[in-house]
Amino acid sequence: MQPVYPLLALALLSACSPNASHHDGDHAVATSTPAAVTSVAFNEERFRDDIKALSSDEFEGRAPTTRGEQRTLAYLAKAFEEMGLKGAYQGSFLQPVPMVSYTASKEQQVTLAGLPFKYRQDLVLNSHHDNGGVHIDNAPLVFVGYGINAPEYGWNDYQDVDMKGKIAVILVNDPGFARPDSGKFNGKAMTYYGRWNYKFEEASRQGALGALIIHDTEPASYPWSVIENSWTGPQQELVQSHAEQARRIQVEGWLTLDAATRLFTQAGLSLPHLMARAADSAINVPLEQTASIAFKNKAEYANSHNVVATLPGKQQADEHIIYTAHWDHLGKDDSKTDDPIYNGALDNASGTAGILEIARQLAENAKQGQGLARSVTFIATTGEEQGLLGSRYYAANPIYPIAKTVAVLNLDSTNIYGKTKDFTIVGKGQSELENYLIAAAKQQDRIAVAEKNPASGGFFRSDHFSFAKLGVPAVFAGGGSEPVDAATAAYKTQMQASMKGCYHNVCDEYREDWDLSGALEDMQIYYQVTRTLGNSQDWPGYYSGSEFNRLRPAQSAAPESEFASATK
């Protein structure tokens, strides 16, 4: 894999130099040899009860800074306290995360190229500025292809264009998706350049007034309903400095493909033709049309919280293995009269329940004299759905030094489709940490594989990524695509049909007929990795093909065939 975001890595080299130097002299080579399998019997009924409770209507969809958050925090803190774990933040389980919630008015006056566009039906707009609202008159529109500035790929969609006072119109994903056999970027495997947050960040760096991403279901990997549900209502962000605010674009949002087609047609341009050109080479084209946008915007400040609990190690207590799972979801939408609550049972009450059950087992081991040499810290993060906010905040304000963080294991939407023959590692081929998962999966007679749809950019879309950016080996893994038998395959087909369209929708609710046996096996793999690495001197690192290798390099070579297959 070629570097996907070198500016990020280079910027972090100096900031994280202790992270790399800590291991220069005493870095033990990470191995894939597992310790003997430690007996574990996760309590499925308790696991189910946690999922059911956290995703119940009582928790109101678990949106940050709401009553739903307060109930969630109380539930998680009580659970960790009953296990005997220690509150990691000054003796408390709650790490404050300063947030601001921006709420754009539903009354939005928007004309693009003289055409009116409707809120939610055609576009969704937000502003992350505390200025009362947005009022833009006749700002020039510029199509900037994929909105990418990537010197290592010889690619700059902003070449020779001054974006000051202008609004960028941008394609979703990156050129590799449209031209997978061209050698551009990473083919179908999305790079960070394809992520929406990068595109808004780059538009800000270019001095643009605003940015609109054209939604297209296949390259986005999710339907417009996800945008409509996730990008409306209060939008949380970490509190930023005045300087950071000043550099940020004034308006950011999404256009449906149909709305974008009307816009380009009105400008006398063919969107399909320009999309094809944008996939072949960097491009920017003035639309010779303008945008006028007006809506009120409200900013409200409040702390949200990560829940952080530690099981101290016996000998190497200052070295931490970290578990992450985001407790938050989308909250409530009172405009939906039939069912206003986004319960988020799969995403991510299931992952939060997973770290609770693993923590209980490790805590019980410790009480029986089978504690680990290293410490294990569990972080139930806030604000993941709004852009990995809680994990980003912890990574920037760590309770335990990043240089002493051995690895991160992330649970996000556990397997509800039964046992599988394979075990998926998202973004497989990144780090030596994967060796431990591969070995533990083998003990279950399962084969570790890369995800089936690397175009979705899964490696960049959950909390482990906040730690990967700082060089900490971090994995997001679980489930598989091959059911163990015909009965499980039939169940999976039925359940997938039942759950279709429920991602970031109100139908993501707990179901009694979920087969959680596969989730329990996945948790066993994470548990075994923790037992092995927790009693080890090893410090896994990133392989030479990874953009994070400079921050914490691996001591072994990546299995070439595996790494290559994971990045094509």
Side-chain angles (χ1 to χ4, degrees):
M1 177 187 290
Q2 292 179 311
V4 298
Y5 198 19
L7 296 178
L8 177 147
L10 287 171
L12 290 171
L13 277 174
S14 59
C16 297
S17 57
N19 195 25
S21 63
H22 175 76
H23 311 297
D24 286 347
D26 60 355
H27 185 137
V29 176
T31 70
S32 59
T33 303
V37 177
T38 304
S39 177
V40 58
F42 292 122
N43 186 321
E44 180 177 341
E45 182 179 0
R46 189 169 55 193
F47 179 45
R48 283 184 179 275
D49 286 346
D50 284 335
I51 299 174
K52 189 174 182 178
L54 289 166
S55 62
S56 67
D57 285 355
E58 179 186 354
F59 286 71
E60 299 182 348
R62 305 188 309 279
T65 74
T66 67
R67 183 170 59 179
E69 166 168 358
Q70 296 305 315
R71 291 175 175 172
T72 304
L73 300 180
Y75 187 95
L76 297 177
K78 180 181 178 183
F80 283 125
E81 184 176 24
E82 289 176 347
M83 298 174 206
L85 271 63
K86 293 185 176 181
Y89 182 78
Q90 301 176 8
S92 170
F93 290 107
L94 307 183
Q95 179 191 31
V97 179
M99 281 191 187
V100 54
S101 294
Y102 298 102
T103 305
S105 169
K106 298 177 183 178
E107 304 300 321
Q108 300 189 355
Q109 291 76 49
V110 183
T111 58
L112 306 178
L115 299 173
F117 285 78
K118 294 183 179 179
Y119 175 71
R120 295 185 78 137
Q121 179 178 319
D122 297 317
L123 81 176
V124 171
L125 300 178
N126 287 294
S127 178
H128 286 213
H129 285 269
D130 186 1
N131 56 9
V134 171
H135 193 93
I136 295 172
D137 288 323
N138 299 317
L141 291 161
V142 182
F143 175 64
V144 293
Y146 288 92
I148 293 172
N149 179 16
E152 78 281 14
Y153 289 114
W155 196 283
N156 185 4
D157 287 315
Y158 291 97
Q159 184 71 42
D160 299 325
V161 59
D162 181 2
M163 290 301 299
K164 185 176 181 181
K166 300 172 183 176
I167 294 177
V169 183
I170 307 171
L171 298 175
V172 73
N173 211 309
D174 64 43
F177 180 88
R179 300 286 188 269
D181 299 322
S182 68
K184 294 180 174 67
F185 292 79
N186 282 344
K188 284 284 188 180
M190 184 192 289
T191 66
Y192 189 64
Y193 290 118
R195 290 287 293 147
W196 58 263
N197 43 337
Y198 164 79
K199 295 176 188 294
F200 290 141
E201 290 164 2
E202 188 59 41
S204 295
R205 283 189 286 269
Q206 295 293 331
L209 184 62
L212 303 174
I213 298 175
I214 299 171
H215 174 267
D216 191 355
T217 297
E218 187 177 2
S221 80
Y222 42 75
W224 177 254
S225 62
V226 173
I227 301 296
E228 187 180 358
N229 294 334
S230 305
W231 285 74
T232 54
Q235 301 291 299
Q236 275 88 22
E237 179 57 276
L238 298 178
V239 174
Q240 296 179 307
S241 68
H242 291 302
E244 289 172 322
Q245 280 273 292
R247 290 191 292 268
R248 187 161 185 157
I249 52 178
Q250 286 291 315
V251 63
E252 48 200 70
W254 295 76
L255 286 169
T256 67
L257 184 60
D258 287 344
T261 300
R262 296 203 308 272
L263 167 62
F264 280 73
T265 299
Q266 181 73 2
L269 299 168
S270 166
L271 179 56
H273 175 69
L274 288 175
M275 290 171 73
R277 284 182 58 191
D280 291 329
S281 61
I283 183 176
N284 56 73
V285 177
L287 270 61
E288 306 299 343
Q289 300 287 341
T290 63
S292 293
I293 300 169
F295 59 85
K296 293 181 180 179
N297 198 49
K298 180 174 65 175
E300 297 176 289
Y301 295 83
N303 282 344
S304 186
H305 298 82
N306 292 326
V307 184
V308 191
T310 296
L311 181 64
K314 295 187 296 182
Q315 287 86 31
Q316 299 151 247
D318 61 335
E319 299 173 1
H320 289 257
I321 297 168
I322 286 180
Y323 275 84
T324 55
H326 71 91
W327 60 254
D328 68 298
H329 199 54
L330 304 182
K332 296 172 61 178
D333 182 352
D334 290 327
S335 69
K336 294 181 179 291
T337 55
D338 292 339
D339 182 1
I341 298 176
Y342 293 89
N343 300 86
L346 177 59
D347 182 18
N348 185 37
S350 67
T352 307
I355 66 170
L356 289 179
E357 193 57 30
I358 293 171
R360 289 187 184 104
Q361 185 66 41
L362 291 170
E364 187 60 31
N365 292 161
K367 292 174 184 176
Q368 296 175 359
Q370 298 177 347
L372 303 177
R374 285 169 160 162
S375 297
V376 185
T377 292
F378 299 86
I379 311 177
T381 58
T382 182
E384 189 268 359
E385 301 291 11
Q386 303 286 347
L388 317 184
L389 302 185
S391 58
R392 279 169 46 197
Y393 185 83
Y394 180 93
N397 304 273
I399 295 173
Y400 304 111
I402 292 298
K404 291 285 191 176
T405 302
V406 180
V408 172
L409 304 169
N410 182 48
L411 281 78
D412 194 347
S413 301
T414 58
N415 177 17
I416 60 170
Y417 300 112
K419 294 180 179 180
T420 60
K421 297 178 182 178
D422 52 349
F423 178 76
T424 301
I425 300 175
V426 178
K428 187 171 181 286
Q430 287 277 357
S431 78
E432 292 169 306
L433 178 58
E434 296 168 13
N435 293 340
Y436 298 88
L437 278 76
I438 292 167
K442 188 176 181 180
Q443 292 175 341
Q444 295 180 351
D445 294 323
R446 298 170 71 188
I447 299 173
V449 297
E451 72 271 36
K452 293 292 185 181
N453 182 24
S456 68
F459 188 78
F460 311 107
R461 291 173 58 181
S462 196
D463 283 318
H464 63 289
F465 182 57
S466 297
F467 295 87
K469 289 193 296 184
L470 298 183
V472 180
V475 293
F476 173 26
S481 59
E482 295 188 43
V484 292
D485 53 34
T488 303
Y491 157 79
K492 179 180 178 181
T493 299
Q494 175 268 322
M495 185 54 68
Q496 284 180 323
S498 179
M499 292 292 293
K500 185 176 181 179
C502 290
Y503 172 65
H504 282 202
N505 216 326
V506 294
C507 57
D508 181 6
E509 298 181 319
Y510 171 75
R511 302 170 192 227
E512 292 287 353
D513 58 344
W514 277 349
D515 181 351
L516 299 180
S517 60
L520 296 174
E521 283 201 337
D522 294 345
M523 289 157 55
Q524 164 78 49
I525 289 175
Y526 269 17
Y527 169 83
Q528 183 61 33
V529 168
T530 307
R531 296 287 312 177
T532 302
L533 194 55
N535 285 321
S536 169
Q537 299 291 326
D538 291 352
W539 285 86
Y542 281 97
Y543 293 125
S544 59
S546 170
E547 61 269 34
F548 312 116
N549 169 262
R550 285 174 275 198
L551 302 174
R552 191 179 293 183
Q555 297 299 295
S556 59
E560 185 174 350
S561 60
E562 289 186 4
F563 196 84
S565 66
T567 57
K568 286 183 179 178

